[in-house]
Amino acid sequence: MTFDRAYWEQLWTKTLREHPDKVAQRPPNAHLIAEVAGLRPGRALDAGCGHGAETLWLAAHGWKVTAVDFSASALAHGQSTAEALGADIAERIAWVEGDLAVWTPPRDHFDLVVCLYVHVAGSVEDMVRRMASGVAPGGALFMVGHRPIDPATGKPTAAASQVQVSVESAAAGLDPNGWERVVAEERPRAVAGTGVDAVILARRVT
Ligand SMILES: C[S@@+](CC[C@H](N)C(=O)[O-])C[C@H]1O[C@@H](n2cnc3c(N)ncnc32)[C@H](O)[C@@H]1O
């Protein structure tokens, strides 16, 4: 299977049409809330933002967010949700259509770069490096990846055919002299029986 723009655009169009309630009710990511709630708000990038649940949460908590995805339908949905929530939220968010396989954040620009459950074509280590390049000194990189095998059962998960970030690939992509690993571990996912997530929070020290 190819997880390209056409695949995601079709999936988002179908999901937003057939399950708007589920999409609207999906809470923002629990790992993100746990790790980021204590950070001082500034400029954030939500790379692979989807329909924007985390982007909206960040904006509501004072962050000025750049939200990037290559699905135009997901971005349009996120933008209209933000507008319905009010100008104070909507004006904090820039929705950007871009392909994260090549899109590079402005260097040293963001206080927080978030990248949740994104599989891109090419090396995941390169993706980690690309995302890390957008973090300003003192800022944070937060990435989560659904692991392909459920350690409890040894069976493939819904992410089995994707290559998402792992603890190992994040370590390989981040220079240990420039980054402090605050969290780098596998944690159970919110939905029981769906395996584990690799959760990475790293702080740029230089
Ligand atoms: C599994 S969803 C996760 C969405 C959101 N981060 C979340 O946690 O709910 C993956 C998202 O990444 C986007 N995506 C995948 N590959 C991408 C790429 N190469 N460039 C931009 N967006 C991409 C998809 O359109 C989709 O919205």
Side-chain angles (χ1 to χ4, degrees), residues 3-5 8-9 12 26 29 46-54 68-71 74 97-103 114-121 127 162 164:
F3 298 95
D4 58 7
R5 185 188 295 253
W8 279 108
E9 181 57 19
W12 274 120
R26 216 270 279 139
N29 185 274
D46 186 0
C49 61
H51 72 291
E54 288 71 34
V68 179
D69 205 287
F70 63 6
S71 165
E97 195 174 327
D99 182 348
L100 295 169
V102 289
W103 188 90
V114 172
C115 185
L116 305 181
Y117 308 109
V118 177
H119 154 101
V120 294
M127 166 80 168
Q162 300 186 24
Q164 300 186 13

Side-chain angles (χ1 to χ4, degrees), residues 121-145:
S123 150
V124 68
E125 284 171 38
D126 286 348
M127 166 80 168
V128 171
R129 283 189 200 99
R130 232 175 10 262
M131 293 300 107
S133 74
V135 178
L141 175 67
F142 185 67
M143 298 185 78
V144 177

